[in-house]
Amino acid sequence: MDWFLIITTLIKIVVVVFLAILPSVAYSVYFERRVSAWIQDRLGPNRVGPLGLLQPIADGLKFLLKEDVTPGHVNKFYFWLAPALVLVPALVTCAVLPFGSEMQLPLWLQDLIGTKANIPMVIADLDTGPLFIFAISSLGVYGIVLAGWASNSKYPFLGGVRSSSQMISYEIALGLSIVPLLMIYGDLHLGKIVAAQAKEGWSLLPFWTEGHAFAFDLKKIALAVPVGISFIVFMTAIFAETNRVPFDLAECETELVGGYHTEYSSMKFALFFLGEYAAMIVGSCFAVTLFFGGWTLPFGLSAQQLGAVGPGIALFQFLTLFIKVFLFVLFFIWVRWTLPRFRYDQLMRLGWVWLFEIALVNIILTAGLLIAFR
Amino acid sequence: MATKLVERPKLNFFEKIYLSSILHGLALTFGHIVRLFRGKTKVVMQYPEEKWDSNLPEYYRGAPALVTDEHGRERCVACQLCEFICPPRAITITPEEIPNNDPWAKVEKRPKAFEIDMIRCIYCGMCEEVCPEQAIFLRKDYAITGESRAEMVHDKRKLYEIGGVRTGLVNKWNELK
Amino acid sequence: MADTDPNKPAVPLLNVQIDGEWYQFPKGTRMIEACKQVGREVPHYCYHPKLTSPGNCRMCLVEMGMPPRPKPGEEAPLDAEGKPVIQWMPRPVIACANTVADNMGIRTDSNLTRLCREGVMEFLLINHPLDCPICDQAGECRLQEFSVEHGSGMSRFREEKVKKPKNVDIGPRIRLDDERCIMCSRCIRFCEEIVDDKVLGFTERGSHTTLAVHPGKRLENNYSLNTADICPVGALTSNDFRFQMRVWFLKETESINVDCGTGINVTIHSREGKVYRVTPRENNEVNSCWMPDSHRLSFHSIESPDRLTDPMVRVGATHRQARWKDAYAQIPEALSKLDASQIAIVASARMTNEELFSVKRLAGLLKVAALDVVPRMGESDGYLIAADRNPNTTGAQLVLGVQQPGSQLASIRAGVEAGSIKALLVFGEDLTEAAGWPEESLKKLKFLLAVHTHANPTAAAADVVLPSAAWAEKRGSMINVTGRLQRLSAAIPVPGQARDDWEILRDLTLGLTGSNGVHGVDDVFRLMAAAIPAFNGLSLQKIGNQGIALLETGVRIPLLERERERRAKGMING
């Protein structure tokens, strides 16, 4: 049985990381450029391939072929380690995100490999999903701090320091913001949270119950208020965690040239780039899982698919999640090209004075509502 | 210096949480996307196919170049004032003496080498402004490309090639000496 | 401005009012010098403090006045401060040829002086060509400078300009452009008064006055380039510096010349690590304002293709480039096998005191007694070039303790040829050229170290060759023939992998001892100041640009002696 688990897990990792996340990273860069162009009344990259769709491949080739400069004044070991430390945690967090229910292998395949076991559509089926995500994603800050420090240059250093204090500050709000959800679902298993949403309505769209496509439950609608607050705090904190505008003070060009990756070039720079977008995608995926029902369809349409499903349905579930995440990524991009950058003191004030307090009050509010509707 | 105190606008609670402003901003940018897709936005020029060359204004500052006068004499006398004024230090001149058998030997001095590093050049036009001999002009060439740093350095031959002949300028060296 | 030198005979001080302020000057001071001393520079072309004043440029016109002579029995009228009231003369006087008188008044910025200067400038510019773009003087041209201050910016001259010869070859090192000449006659006076070579003069007097050399003669004395220095415009320019570099790019470094024992004070003009010219710097105790052409042009050897740029070690019959570390490592290795009596050191009196001191320390550590420098005696030219062609013989005597330079050289050579001296360390000298040793005798050595700037037969025979810094590349001090301690400054960086001599010597010493606390050439001087009483209390900083009279050797510089005579006679004032 072990070899079956190992092989399916490996296949899942390859599929998720190399067929889903990394290509979507490349294409989110493409969309970033296209959408920003549209917002600014331009066209964006439209030369390479039809509609410029091969642009990410050209970019990737360019990154690979660029001269890889390691400046003489850097601390070589940490300088080389830092890009990997940014990308790896972003990719590792996707291990606990469910992208479907359970896949039942076709009968001929079951006969061929001699097992009737189903494959859970998640790489690591942990009971502590959100905690795992927080634990791993907070490691990403080391990559940025090391990059800033190892570059031995003032702009990267300032960028690294800014970034680390920012990420540490917003991690608190991020962690506290999902506590209300955990209280409502009473579980830390992301798969079960998604299943509950499929049956009882998404956290932010609680308009159905099991067996009824449209139903209004006062308790759920009341609870949607703290969940909505949670969502706003969570999204703000995710923006800050992924160093996206309006929180990209770690790499703001006007002050710090390139911030922590000023001294990087070629593929090492590309790794930072990949890491940032991978974090954005995984963050979107996490948000979808918690607030918008993960891989499920709204209005109870997925209630029957919670058990084992065939490969076709599993693929459909995967695509559902993918489309939701894609919309989120578009939202990230949309925000980036709309909002101006915060000033650093405003950023710290927002994190510590507002989001932290709001998240705390929100927990109490949720607890109060849960008691009231018991 | 007069100090002007800027009154910060007083914001009410809803303005303070910024959410409405953020939503307003998002709506604004989304409006641009919509207008673009409805074809109501005039999109920028598609550069290599469409060019602005015929519309370049008279004062356009492109690549600096050296010019010869109507007698085919190189106007530059290597005074090195442009090298001195050049803010990014893009210009390097090596002067030499004009040999006695040259028809323009009375000018005495000319550039042996005149190099403008087009990677450094910022097209500011100071060289043109400072030139006492009206020898260097900013032409309308803007697509300066090369595959190596060395290729991006315009030498004397290239500079005269871009510059060509200019007539109607002051010709003080034509006086009998 | 009282003269505070107690050795000078007392000269009566006169009260002079300059631009409303009262000062005191010794009798005999020229008005232009008095104004200069109190910071009211009067523009001038023909006046030069070291030359007589013909007063022919008229640029230094100032307004002058004296108190009215009182009627018999009356007192001169005094103003509110008790000073005499001055009655200004209606016409201006030239400040360069008149001396100050008691209670004289001078106005350097009155309306009359301003008008005079503008008028003189307009006349001078009438025939001046618009050559500035090709003129080497541009940037340090007095005519340009005063045009900015006193010129009109436009010409009222409508006639044809006077044409004169241009680009005239008047000597091997000097080019003449007569159109640029403003007839100040400085060059004529210099040739006549300083170097006794009357080759220049004016011809075709009148509006076609032309500077020319005497028919059949050329301006080819060894001081001819000084005329280009004193020429206020670009009429006389140096052939060597012609069209090499514009002066405004040049970085000026104050140093001294090392071609003879006089130690002529110079300014090194360099740009981006290349020396373009060397000009004399005024020092009334050494070289006045002048310098011989031979010394001035010697800087070209710094850029010679023969320069050593990498340390080299011998491999078989040829040399191979080595890293400094590896080259250094060979030296203690070779020397440790030998007895102190088998080692000899030949240093150079062209080295600075600091370097010689380091050689002395090295010799002390190796316990080497056979130590000498190569003497270089020639003839004094009767002007500035000293008979001793080594710039630091006095320093070698004081620092290295070599009483009679060259006295041990013969015994060292005999030892080398006899085989009793097996290792020789040569610093900054080529023994075949300077001391006349045959190359064969160098081949008898077991170990030969050559530290030099240029490739030479000694280096070719050496086992280890270390490239060192030329005079324009290093900082240090030297003592000239008159006993004056002077300072060299680095104008340009050393070429390639070469290193400063003090650094090489420091590292050689380190190879033998370990740390010695020397981190810069100033540290070497500090050690030297502690070890040698004559240097007590001094530092490289304190030497300054004009040097310090350290010893009394009794040697005199002929040109300076004559200058003092002329000053005593009142012919010159500077």
Side-chain angles (χ1 to χ4, degrees):
Chain A
M1 202 58 201
D2 280 344
W3 60 268
F4 179 71
L5 193 66
I6 290 167
I7 287 178
T8 50
T9 308
L10 278 176
I11 291 170
K12 281 187 282 191
I13 290 173
V14 168
V15 168
V16 168
V17 172
F18 292 100
L19 297 181
I21 294 193
L22 288 183
S24 20
V25 165
Y27 275 89
S28 50
V29 176
Y30 168 77
F31 276 103
E32 176 105 52
R33 294 175 64 182
R34 279 318 278 259
V35 171
S36 69
W38 295 337
I39 286 174
Q40 295 167 351
D41 298 345
R42 296 183 284 115
L43 293 181
N46 60 352
R47 298 268 160 180
V48 190
L51 294 173
L53 278 169
L54 296 182
Q55 183 72 35
I57 292 158
D59 282 348
L61 276 177
K62 189 192 76 174
F63 272 127
L64 279 171
L65 296 176
K66 281 255 173 182
E67 184 186 359
D68 191 0
V69 181
T70 303
H73 52 75
V74 302
N75 185 327
K76 294 239 165 43
F77 177 71
Y78 293 123
F79 189 77
W80 280 74
L81 183 67
L85 270 186
V86 169
L87 180 63
V88 168
L91 293 179
V92 168
T93 40
C94 72
V96 294
L97 292 167
F99 45 88
S101 55
E102 270 184 18
M103 186 164 77
Q104 194 176 27
L105 291 175
L107 288 173
W108 60 269
L109 201 56
Q110 283 184 6
D111 292 343
L112 193 69
I113 52 181
T115 171
K116 291 200 181 305
N118 294 332
I119 304 169
M121 295 288 272
V122 58
I123 294 170
D125 202 7
L126 293 187
D127 284 341
T128 53
L131 297 186
F132 178 82
I133 289 176
F134 290 146
I136 299 297
S137 67
S138 61
L139 289 178
V141 72
Y142 285 107
I144 289 171
V145 171
L146 278 184
W149 185 75
S151 292
N152 196 8
S153 160
K154 56 184 177 265
Y155 291 126
F157 179 71
L158 284 173
V161 169
R162 276 186 181 190
S163 173
S164 55
S165 58
Q166 173 185 330
M167 288 173 89
I168 290 164
S169 308
Y170 278 81
E171 238 155 48
I172 295 171
L174 185 71
L176 289 176
S177 70
I178 67 155
V179 171
L181 281 171
L182 304 181
M183 287 161 71
I184 292 166
Y185 293 111
D187 207 327
L188 275 170
H189 188 279
L190 287 172
K192 289 178 184 158
I193 291 177
V194 172
Q197 289 187 63
K199 283 185 234 159
E200 300 293 329
W202 298 352
S203 311
L204 272 175
L205 206 65
F207 299 133
W208 66 91
T209 54
E210 204 161 2
H212 300 277
F214 292 97
F216 295 95
D217 182 351
L218 191 61
K219 175 189 173 188
K220 283 187 199 160
I221 290 166
L223 280 172
V225 174
V227 170
I229 296 171
S230 270
F231 178 67
I232 291 169
V233 175
F234 180 84
M235 284 312 290
T236 317
I238 281 281
F239 271 101
E241 281 287 294
T242 51
N243 284 320
R244 294 279 301 182
V245 169
F247 301 102
D248 66 336
L249 287 108
E251 46 182 309
C252 57
E253 303 84 355
T254 39
E255 294 160 27
L256 298 181
V257 190
Y260 56 86
H261 55 57
T262 305
E263 305 281 355
Y264 283 85
S265 57
S266 181
M267 215 45 216
K268 291 208 288 293
F269 171 73
L271 287 186
F272 280 116
F273 217 66
L274 289 178
E276 185 188 322
Y277 280 86
M280 187 170 93
I281 289 168
V282 172
S284 308
C285 204
F286 191 31
V288 167
T289 305
L290 286 177
F291 294 98
F292 290 97
W295 48 268
T296 62
L297 293 172
F299 306 109
L301 294 177
S302 299
Q304 281 79 42
Q305 301 168 359
L306 291 174
V309 294
I313 308 246
L315 188 64
F316 178 75
Q317 291 172 343
F318 190 82
L319 284 177
T320 314
L321 178 72
F322 191 82
I323 288 163
K324 288 186 188 173
V325 169
F326 177 68
L327 291 174
F328 254 85
V329 170
L330 285 183
F331 177 68
F332 267 90
I333 293 167
W334 184 16
V335 166
R336 170 165 176 186
W337 297 98
T338 301
L339 298 187
R341 183 180 294 130
F342 273 97
R343 213 170 57 207
Y344 200 71
D345 62 317
Q346 293 170 333
L347 171 102
M348 279 297 157
R349 197 176 149 79
L350 180 70
W352 285 103
V353 177
W354 292 105
L355 295 185
F356 177 50
E357 326 281 283
I358 290 172
L360 270 183
V361 171
N362 198 26
I363 292 171
I364 296 162
L365 177 67
T366 316
L369 285 173
L370 282 174
I371 292 165
F373 287 100
R374 189 164 43 181
Chain B
M1 281 276 284
T3 314
K4 192 180 175 191
L5 279 178
V6 180
E7 278 287 317
R8 295 233 173 249
K10 283 258 182 283
L11 303 177
N12 64 32
F13 178 76
F14 283 103
E15 285 166 337
K16 264 187 190 163
I17 58 174
Y18 295 121
L19 277 179
S20 65
S21 309
I22 289 172
L23 293 176
H24 180 77
L26 290 173
L28 187 82
T29 46
F30 194 72
H32 276 266
I33 299 180
V34 172
R35 272 203 300 284
L36 186 95
F37 277 94
R38 292 174 66 194
K40 290 192 174 175
T41 309
K42 191 165 177 285
V43 180
V44 289
M45 186 184 286
Q46 293 297 292
Y47 167 65
E49 291 86 14
E50 304 169 40
K51 278 183 180 166
W52 210 37
D53 289 8
S54 53
N55 296 324
L56 286 180
E58 204 40 52
Y59 49 81
Y60 184 82
R61 299 197 307 250
L66 295 174
V67 299
T68 45
D69 66 6
E70 46 267 62
H71 308 286
R73 181 182 74 85
E74 49 179 321
R75 294 192 65 94
C76 176
V77 297
C79 74
Q80 292 180 292
L81 277 175
C82 49
E83 180 178 354
F84 180 66
I85 202 83
C86 182
R89 297 198 192 180
I91 302 177
T92 315
I93 301 169
T94 315
E96 72 173 352
E97 187 162 6
I98 300 180
N100 279 332
N101 53 13
D102 192 283
W104 292 100
K106 63 184 173 191
V107 184
E108 293 185 31
K109 199 180 176 185
R110 71 181 176 198
K112 185 173 162 191
F114 196 119
E115 289 182 344
I116 304 185
D117 188 344
M118 293 310 295
I119 302 176
R120 286 188 158 205
C121 179
I122 56 170
Y123 306 91
C124 63
M126 296 264 232
C127 46
E128 178 177 336
E129 197 170 324
V130 81
C131 184
E133 297 286 336
Q134 294 179 297
I136 189 165
F137 289 93
L138 266 64
R139 307 311 286 251
K140 292 184 179 176
D141 307 57
Y142 51 84
I144 314 294
T145 53
E147 288 183 348
S148 64
R149 280 165 197 269
E151 242 175 88
M152 292 297 284
V153 177
H154 284 181
D155 59 4
K156 196 171 134 177
R157 193 188 54 78
K158 173 91 175 164
L159 291 169
Y160 277 115
E161 193 183 301
I162 303 174
V165 180
R166 272 232 173 174
T167 52
L169 303 171
V170 175
N171 269 330
K172 69 179 184 189
W173 296 105
N174 288 356
E175 277 181 68
L176 269 175
K177 290 264 170 180
Chain C
M1 291 258 113
D3 198 340
T4 48
D5 191 345
N7 299 328
K8 286 208 175 155
V11 178
L13 293 177
L14 307 174
N15 292 309
V16 180
Q17 189 205 51
I18 298 175
D19 290 336
E21 298 278 328
W22 286 91
Y23 304 95
Q24 287 194 315
F25 298 100
K27 190 168 187 238
T29 309
R30 299 267 163 88
M31 286 161 74
I32 197 167
E33 285 292 324
C35 293
K36 188 177 165 188
Q37 280 171 28
V38 299
R40 317 291 304 196
E41 190 93 39
V42 178
H44 57 273
Y45 295 111
C46 70
Y47 174 75
H48 190 282
K50 308 293 182 194
L51 304 172
T52 53
S53 309
N56 57 0
C57 76
R58 318 310 288 177
M59 191 63 193
C60 63
L61 286 169
V62 291
E63 206 177 348
M64 191 261 272
M66 294 294 289
R69 187 172 298 168
K71 286 175 189 161
E74 279 185 20
E75 286 291 310
L78 297 179
D79 65 8
E81 288 169 22
K83 302 281 189 187
V85 174
I86 288 171
Q87 198 173 37
W88 297 98
M89 301 202 174
R91 298 199 306 179
V93 298
I94 49 170
C96 67
N98 290 302
T99 54
V100 292
D102 204 19
N103 293 333
M104 179 190 258
I106 302 171
R107 281 175 176 170
T108 66
D109 58 355
S110 69
N111 203 32
L112 179 69
T113 24
R114 195 175 52 76
L115 284 171
C116 287
R117 288 172 190 171
E118 282 172 13
V120 171
M121 274 311 297
E122 194 166 2
F123 273 119
L124 285 177
L125 290 173
I126 278 180
N127 279 315
H128 198 83
L130 287 172
D131 266 357
C132 299
I134 60 159
C135 177
D136 270 337
Q137 190 80 3
E140 52 182 13
C141 173
R142 307 297 291 235
L143 198 64
Q144 275 186 336
E145 286 165 23
F146 297 144
S147 292
V148 172
E149 282 175 59
H150 312 293
S152 78
M154 53 168 287
S155 174
R156 291 189 285 168
F157 189 68
R158 306 215 177 276
E159 289 77 16
E160 279 287 300
K161 287 194 174 195
V162 172
K163 303 292 177 201
K164 288 184 197 171
K166 285 181 84 73
N167 203 355
V168 190
D169 178 24
I170 57 164
R173 294 174 290 277
I174 286 286
R175 196 76 61 101
L176 167 67
D177 187 313
D178 263 313
E179 284 193 343
R180 295 180 195 155
C181 179
I182 56 164
M183 276 70 75
C184 73
S185 79
R186 272 184 179 184
C187 48
I188 301 172
R189 279 174 285 142
F190 171 79
C191 288
E192 195 172 320
E193 295 169 16
I194 309 289
V195 290
D196 314 305
D197 185 25
K198 301 179 185 175
V199 289
L200 292 175
F202 287 134
T203 59
E204 322 215 9
R205 293 226 172 204
S207 59
H208 288 72
T209 308
T210 306
L211 177 71
V213 279
H214 190 282
K217 286 189 181 175
R218 276 159 72 77
L219 177 60
E220 53 195 357
N221 65 64
N222 197 25
Y223 289 81
S224 63
L225 279 171
N226 290 299
T227 57
D229 289 340
I230 56 174
C231 183
V233 292
L236 294 169
T237 49
S238 158
N239 275 340
D240 180 63
F241 183 61
R242 188 169 167 83
F243 301 158
Q244 292 304 301
M245 188 47 63
R246 303 318 297 256
V247 293
W248 51 77
F249 289 118
L250 298 175
K251 183 183 81 173
E252 297 183 355
T253 312
E254 292 177 332
S255 188
I256 60 166
N257 173 274
V258 296
D259 290 303
C260 75
T262 309
I264 290 165
N265 286 216
V266 296
T267 305
I268 304 170
H269 298 255
S270 62
R271 184 191 181 197
E272 288 170 10
K274 178 174 158 61
V275 177
Y276 283 93
R277 69 170 176 181
V278 170
T279 55
R281 182 159 60 84
E282 183 170 355
N283 187 335
N284 290 331
E285 302 300 324
V286 181
N287 60 318
S288 184
C289 292
W290 323 115
M291 161 170 212
D293 296 355
S294 51
H295 290 15
R296 189 193 294 250
L297 301 179
S298 68
F299 73 88
H300 286 296
S301 68
I302 295 173
E303 279 236 312
S304 134
D306 293 341
R307 271 306 287 274
L308 296 169
T309 54
D310 289 278
M312 287 186 287
V313 293
R314 171 179 292 285
V315 180
T318 56
H319 284 94
R320 183 175 55 77
Q321 281 188 8
R323 291 186 300 169
W324 276 98
K325 220 171 83 180
D326 303 335
Y328 280 145
Q330 296 217 350
I331 299 157
E333 200 182 292
L335 297 185
S336 58
K337 294 175 196 150
L338 300 172
D339 190 59
S341 63
Q342 293 173 316
I343 307 173
I345 297 179
V346 178
S348 169
R350 287 174 164 176
M351 299 168 89
T352 64
N353 293 329
E354 292 76 13
E355 289 155 17
L356 291 168
F357 180 73
S358 305
V359 170
K360 178 88 177 160
R361 271 163 54 98
L362 185 68
L365 283 165
L366 292 169
K367 302 191 178 59
V368 171
L371 171 67
D372 205 352
V373 296
V374 181
R376 259 190 199 81
M377 292 307 283
E379 289 277 308
S380 167
D381 72 342
Y383 297 98
L384 286 174
I385 304 179
D388 183 2
R389 299 293 156 81
N390 272 331
N392 201 19
T393 306
T394 323
Q397 287 166 338
L398 177 71
V399 178
L400 206 57
V402 180
Q403 286 317 313
Q404 189 56 47
S407 55
Q408 281 208 61
L409 215 53
S411 69
I412 293 175
R413 179 176 170 183
V416 170
E417 283 169 357
S420 63
I421 289 174
K422 293 200 165 61
L424 186 59
L425 313 181
V426 186
F427 295 97
E429 285 292 0
D430 173 18
L431 292 174
T432 56
E433 178 262 335
W437 292 19
E439 282 176 47
E440 292 75 52
S441 56
L442 291 173
K443 290 194 175 121
K444 293 187 177 142
L445 286 161
K446 278 183 98 173
F447 181 75
L448 174 61
L449 166 72
V451 181
H452 206 281
T453 50
H454 289 73
N456 59 55
T458 306
D463 296 285
V464 177
V465 183
L466 301 178
S468 64
W471 63 278
E473 294 156 2
K474 62 188 175 191
R475 182 173 154 90
S477 64
M478 288 189 180
I479 307 175
N480 79 350
V481 284
T482 66
R484 195 171 186 82
L485 179 65
Q486 304 196 99
R487 193 172 65 184
L488 285 124
S489 304
I492 53 172
V494 287
Q497 301 295 310
R499 287 189 182 173
D500 219 334
D501 299 66
W502 72 264
E503 214 179 331
I504 296 172
L505 285 157
R506 191 264 321 259
D507 292 339
L508 290 180
T509 326
L510 274 179
L512 297 164
T513 62
S515 174
N516 59 5
V518 174
H519 305 290
V521 70
D522 295 69
D523 293 327
V524 184
F525 195 97
R526 203 167 300 132
L527 291 176
M528 186 168 75
I532 298 170
F535 291 113
N536 279 353
L538 285 174
S539 70
L540 272 179
Q541 229 108 46
K542 282 184 190 161
I543 296 173
N545 293 328
Q546 296 281 304
I548 292 170
L550 191 75
L551 307 169
E552 188 46 65
T553 60
V555 178
R556 293 281 173 267
I557 297 165
L559 189 141
L560 289 188
E561 296 302 303
R562 289 198 290 278
E563 185 177 298
R564 288 196 183 107
E565 267 171 44
R566 290 210 309 280
R567 190 180 299 132
K569 284 184 197 158
M571 289 165 70
I572 61 166
N573 212 251

